[in-house]
Amino acid sequence: MTNGHELLQKLAARSDYQVYRQEHWEGSFSDYLDIVREHPRVTRTSWQRLYDMIQNEGTYSVEENRETLTRYRFFDDPHGNGEDAIFGLTRPLMELVNVFRSAALRYGAERRVLLLHGPVGSSKSTIARLLKRGLERYSRSDDGAIYSFGWVEEDGAITWDPMNGDPLQLIPANYRKQLCEDLNESAGEDGYHIEISGDICPLSRYYFQERMRQFEGDWSKVLDTVRVRRIVLSEQDRIGIGTFQPKDEKNQDSTELTGDINYRKIAEYGSESDPRAFNFDGEFNVANRGMIEFIEVLKLDVAFLYDLLGASQEHKIKPKKFAQTDIDTVIIGHTNEPEFRKLQSNEFMEALRDRTIKIDVPYVTKLSEEIKIYEKDYNQRRVRGKHIAPHTLETAAMWAVMTRLEEPKHHGLTVLQKLKLYNGKSLPGFTSENVKQLRRESKSEGMQGISPRFVQDKISNALVVNVHSTSLNPFMVLNEIEEGLKHHSLIPNEETREHYRQLISVVKEEYTDIVKNEVQRAIASDEEALTRLCANYIDNVKAYTQREKVKNKFTGQDEEPDERLMRSIEERIDIPESRKDDFRREIMNYIGALSLDGKTFDYRTNERLQKALEMKLFEDQKDTIKLTSLVSNVVDADTQEKIDIVKSRLVRNYGYNDESATDVLQYVASIFARGDAKQE
């Protein structure tokens, strides 16, 4: 067994010291110019760096209502194993990245505050967190390298620029154009062109002027006393990433944004306006060259408004006792609907409204994406010792999404059908264009309803409360949700609360149909019986369409096609009498087309026919299995054997465990025992 020292040595042996040296590179100003000439992108603005960071992860296409959308891998959180992945929201994320692109190209968006607006729990904070973590990671990569500078003191110590300014800002304004031309001469049309904008912070300006006097105006000698270093952006170390959260009005102080006087140093330097007696550690100072996140930005006191406006529009902040100071940072705030309505009605905030780009971040309205949110937290890897029964997370997600959908204006369309259309399912009479029209009619869809957090809390409760069960089923979660609705503080009125309760009943009905179908298919999963039934049906359909007779395999006599058999199968999938000829011709044409391609017909390739055959076989076999005897607890050995076969199919083919398979069989059996099983 290894001791502590050996364990540390083993871990140390895995360390890559070369990476550390690269991330902490230091050199002279002329060394930095060599780096700039070879890698001009190290001089990018904060917006350009943020956009490149997202593009660097790549993109892929997703289809939505027959429209191709671009999905950015960055928001799948590939480096964090998907822990902060954003599910759905493809359009809002495309809109967000388009703003970044506009700002990177200096089209004007770089002079705006980016406002993520949406209901609570709609991923606004997650998006900001992904961007901050991404910048930290990107600044460690070769492509995202970023540099700052410091001043070498007489004793050899280095005073680093407190705002991590761009070293090129040290070049006097008169010489910047010539330097840029020299550096850009080999860039070409498509290459990155270096621009120098903005000035150094007051402290570095003080050092620069002092040394200009020392070297009698020779600024090249001043730069010889400058040390350049590579920096790694870090929220924890307050380098390039700032976060500001408003407090109550009495405790809000603008120095939290722009820095404050260090009163202990006034005695040493003799003046409040000496930059050496000032702490440039406000959130704007810290966020220079990176980004700043404003949590609940619209709760800011009006006094902060001018700092925010100057930082966005002019890229300048005003530290106490100093002139306006240049900053280069991406400003991202987020807020919810009540605060945004206040902004719209507050005339004092008009200037902020004019400088804000609002990105709506709604709740997910696509069922498959909502399910992924819950699967991320509740899966067999994270939930130990308890099986999550099939459809448990699906039913919870179904209810959550339906609370966010507006009542359809289309006559005869239910909220449940609307949910299915949004999820890509086809319904008779609805095209992809109809789905687009439904979305256009529902402008505020996803901006109200129940948040994923509420559902996650109820799933957690259900897992903890049902301690004696080895599995978690949909009814356990739905019951927790129904109980939680009584005390949910964010539901605006009793009418809405009652509507949400009714949606639970809708979900239970849908779940009942789903599990009845699964049990039916499990009972009818006898491949040989299905194949025999299909062959019999096809023989009769072939004879019917060709006006021939069918040979009875037992008697050897030619007989008329078995109309009763054919209709008993077709009625299972709602083929009316008037459409039976068309359906039978479709089947025969399909078989004929396969034959021309040298392929043989398999009923599993035709979803409608497979469903019809399974339902017919189920009706034929359910009485022999005596499923309803499960309710009475009196089961003979032969019936028990058949039930065990069905149960094993549910476990093997549908993801149940023994307990949940037994529960679902008993539930479906109770429905048949009551005699209220619906004909599909």
Side-chain angles (χ1 to χ4, degrees):
M1 187 175 182
T2 57
N3 58 35
H5 177 73
E6 290 171 338
L7 191 60
L8 287 174
Q9 290 298 312
K10 184 179 178 182
L11 292 173
R14 296 182 181 179
S15 301
D16 191 338
Y17 300 111
Q18 181 59 31
V19 170
Y20 180 86
R21 285 191 287 270
Q22 287 177 351
E23 291 178 0
H24 294 79
W25 176 91
E26 286 186 23
S28 66
F29 191 88
S30 58
D31 293 334
Y32 175 66
L33 285 182
D34 291 335
I35 292 173
V36 170
R37 189 184 292 277
E38 190 174 348
H39 305 287
R41 299 173 72 81
V42 299
T43 66
R44 286 169 294 179
T45 66
S46 56
W47 287 95
Q48 290 168 338
R49 188 171 283 104
L50 193 65
Y51 176 69
D52 288 346
M53 171 192 74
I54 295 170
Q55 288 290 100
N56 201 48
E57 296 294 341
T59 62
Y60 58 96
S61 298
V62 294
E63 292 290 326
E64 192 172 296
N65 300 324
R66 294 191 178 179
E67 186 179 355
T68 302
L69 304 178
T70 300
R71 180 81 188 179
Y72 295 91
R73 292 188 194 280
F74 175 84
F75 295 105
D76 296 339
D77 191 21
H79 297 278
N81 295 319
E83 283 296 311
D84 274 336
I86 307 293
F87 298 109
L89 304 184
T90 301
R91 288 180 187 276
L93 293 175
M94 282 177 61
E95 189 179 347
L96 177 67
V97 177
N98 285 341
V99 174
F100 290 153
R101 184 169 188 269
S102 171
L105 294 170
R106 293 187 170 99
Y107 288 166
E110 74 278 8
R111 298 190 178 277
R112 302 291 179 265
V113 175
L114 195 54
L115 182 65
L116 303 179
H117 161 252
V120 294
S122 65
S123 302
K124 303 182 297 294
S125 298
T126 306
I127 291 170
R129 185 164 61 249
L130 274 173
L131 293 172
K132 290 192 291 187
R133 295 295 87 80
L135 278 175
E136 290 178 344
R137 186 174 54 251
Y138 188 59
S139 68
R140 288 191 176 92
S141 69
D142 291 340
D143 189 56
I146 181 172
Y147 296 84
S148 184
F149 65 92
W151 302 92
V152 180
E153 305 283 7
E154 291 182 359
D155 61 359
I158 301 174
T159 301
W160 298 108
D161 183 84
M163 290 179 59
N164 296 305
D166 182 352
L168 290 186
Q169 289 179 332
L170 290 164
I171 302 295
N174 295 343
Y175 301 92
R176 289 182 176 184
K177 182 179 179 182
Q178 182 61 53
L179 178 65
C180 288
E181 288 176 358
D182 292 342
L183 292 173
N184 291 328
E185 61 184 1
S186 59
E189 286 292 321
D190 300 327
Y192 181 79
H193 286 258
I194 297 165
E195 296 180 26
I196 305 174
S197 60
D199 288 313
I200 50 182
C201 77
L203 179 63
S204 288
R205 186 177 181 82
Y206 170 85
Y207 274 102
F208 189 89
Q209 290 173 341
E210 283 292 305
R211 296 187 185 192
M212 281 288 279
R213 281 192 286 271
Q214 179 183 344
F215 296 113
E216 298 179 341
D218 189 343
W219 59 270
S220 63
K221 288 184 178 179
V222 173
L223 295 184
D224 288 339
T225 68
V226 167
R227 193 75 175 160
V228 177
R229 66 168 177 172
R230 182 174 171 179
I231 58 174
V232 173
L233 303 189
S234 168
E235 184 178 21
Q236 289 286 81
D237 296 329
R238 305 191 76 219
I239 299 174
I241 297 175
T243 304
F244 185 78
Q245 185 167 4
K247 303 174 181 64
D248 64 272
E249 292 184 9
K250 292 180 180 178
N251 292 322
Q252 288 192 32
D253 186 350
S254 63
T255 59
E256 291 183 51
L257 287 177
T258 56
D260 198 7
I261 296 168
N262 186 334
Y263 290 98
R264 288 186 301 174
K265 290 189 176 181
I266 293 175
E268 181 181 351
Y269 296 114
S271 170
E272 290 183 358
S273 58
D274 190 312
R276 293 171 296 176
F278 194 88
N279 292 331
F280 293 92
D281 58 358
E283 294 303 324
F284 272 134
N285 306 102
V286 165
N288 192 36
R289 313 288 301 285
M291 69 167 279
I292 182 170
E293 175 193 10
F294 277 89
I295 299 171
E296 298 297 345
V297 62
L298 298 184
K299 290 181 180 177
L300 273 177
D301 186 77
V302 177
F304 286 74
L305 181 62
Y306 301 104
D307 290 315
L308 190 58
L309 295 181
S312 60
Q313 181 69 32
E314 307 299 333
H315 288 187
K316 292 180 183 294
I317 57 174
K318 178 70 173 66
K320 189 187 294 185
K321 301 286 184 181
F322 294 100
Q324 288 191 320
T325 301
D326 290 295
I327 63 164
D328 169 28
T329 189
V330 176
I331 304 173
I332 296 180
H334 42 89
T335 191
N336 53 37
E337 183 62 24
E339 295 297 331
F340 185 72
R341 283 199 297 268
K342 286 183 186 176
L343 170 68
Q344 291 177 308
S345 60
N346 188 342
E347 61 183 27
F348 295 107
M349 292 286 197
E350 185 176 340
L352 179 62
R353 289 203 303 271
D354 190 48
R355 291 167 174 81
T356 297
I357 296 177
K358 179 170 74 76
I359 305 288
D360 284 334
V361 184
Y363 290 135
V364 171
T365 55
K366 187 174 182 179
L367 176 61
S368 59
E369 297 296 329
E370 184 75 7
I371 292 171
K372 290 176 185 176
I373 294 174
Y374 307 130
E375 285 178 338
K376 182 184 72 173
D377 292 325
Y378 305 102
N379 52 60
Q380 296 309 128
R381 182 175 57 85
R382 298 190 68 168
V383 179
R384 305 281 177 88
K386 196 173 288 269
H387 180 80
I388 298 176
H391 312 297
T392 300
L393 302 182
E394 179 186 351
T395 51
M398 196 180 296
W399 176 79
V401 171
M402 282 200 291
T403 67
R404 304 162 191 169
L405 301 183
E406 296 179 10
E407 284 290 335
K409 296 178 182 177
H410 190 283
H411 180 69
L413 185 69
T414 66
V415 176
L416 180 61
Q417 288 172 320
K418 189 178 188 182
L419 172 138
K420 291 179 179 180
L421 286 170
Y422 280 8
N423 202 41
K425 186 173 181 179
S426 58
L427 293 179
F430 286 90
T431 64
S432 57
E433 193 55 45
N434 295 137
V435 178
K436 289 179 184 177
Q437 181 62 31
L438 282 172
R439 287 204 178 273
R440 282 195 292 268
E441 290 172 353
S442 309
K443 293 181 180 178
S444 62
E445 214 159 49
M447 299 302 283
Q448 65 269 320
I450 295 294
S451 80
R453 287 179 193 152
F454 175 80
V455 177
Q456 287 166 327
D457 290 344
K458 299 308 145 191
I459 295 172
S460 298
N461 286 354
L463 283 166
V464 172
V465 169
N466 298 281
V467 290
H468 300 299
S469 299
T470 63
S471 64
L472 182 73
N473 67 48
F475 287 107
M476 293 174 180
V477 175
L478 291 174
N479 290 340
E480 283 293 327
I481 287 173
E482 191 163 11
E483 185 65 27
L485 283 177
K486 297 176 184 177
H487 314 291
H488 198 304
S489 60
L490 296 180
I491 296 176
N493 51 57
E494 285 304 314
E495 183 183 349
T496 303
R497 200 183 306 274
E498 183 56 34
H499 172 60
Y500 291 169
R501 286 197 192 99
Q502 290 172 0
L503 290 178
I504 293 175
S505 301
V506 173
V507 170
K508 286 180 178 178
E509 287 178 20
E510 179 67 12
Y511 171 69
T512 299
D513 288 343
I514 291 170
V515 292
K516 275 166 49 184
N517 183 48
E518 282 186 348
V519 171
Q520 287 172 353
R521 294 183 73 175
I523 290 172
S525 287
D526 187 334
E527 293 291 331
E528 291 183 9
L530 281 170
T531 303
R532 286 195 303 271
L533 181 61
C534 178
N536 197 2
Y537 175 73
I538 295 298
D539 287 345
N540 280 276
V541 167
K542 181 180 178 183
Y544 178 86
T545 55
Q546 296 181 0
R547 302 183 186 280
E548 297 174 350
K549 292 190 175 183
V550 180
K551 185 180 286 292
N552 188 311
K553 293 178 182 178
F554 183 68
T555 65
Q557 299 295 313
D558 289 336
E559 299 175 352
E560 291 296 325
D562 191 341
E563 182 66 22
R564 187 174 178 182
L565 169 71
M566 291 187 288
R567 289 304 295 149
S568 68
I569 291 171
E570 291 157 359
E571 285 171 352
R572 296 289 175 271
I573 49 173
D574 300 325
I575 303 296
E577 183 76 22
S578 59
R579 278 269 300 128
K580 69 179 184 182
D581 288 3
D582 292 338
F583 180 74
R584 292 169 188 176
R585 278 194 292 270
E586 283 174 19
I587 292 292
M588 294 314 297
N589 289 339
Y590 179 64
I591 294 171
L594 287 173
S595 180
L596 288 173
D597 291 337
K599 299 175 182 176
T600 55
F601 173 71
D602 186 333
Y603 68 87
R604 285 166 295 200
T605 61
N606 188 304
E607 189 177 341
R608 293 182 76 199
L609 181 59
Q610 181 181 1
K611 182 180 179 183
L613 293 169
E614 287 174 342
M615 293 178 72
K616 165 64 176 167
L617 190 61
F618 168 73
E619 290 297 325
D620 292 346
Q621 291 189 355
K622 73 173 182 179
D623 292 332
T624 65
I625 289 180
K626 300 176 185 175
L627 193 61
T628 54
S629 63
L630 274 171
V631 182
S632 66
N633 293 323
V634 180
V635 184
D636 59 69
D638 183 52
T639 301
Q640 185 62 54
E641 184 180 349
K642 291 177 180 177
I643 288 172
D644 287 342
I645 290 172
V646 174
K647 193 189 295 185
S648 68
R649 288 172 183 165
L650 286 170
V651 172
R652 183 177 66 250
N653 299 334
Y654 296 98
Y656 292 88
N657 69 347
D658 187 74
E659 182 186 71
S660 58
T662 302
D663 288 345
V664 82
L665 275 173
Q666 288 184 329
Y667 176 61
V668 173
S670 69
I671 295 171
F672 287 121
R674 290 197 305 268
D676 59 358
K678 290 195 300 183
Q679 288 287 333
E680 289 294 326

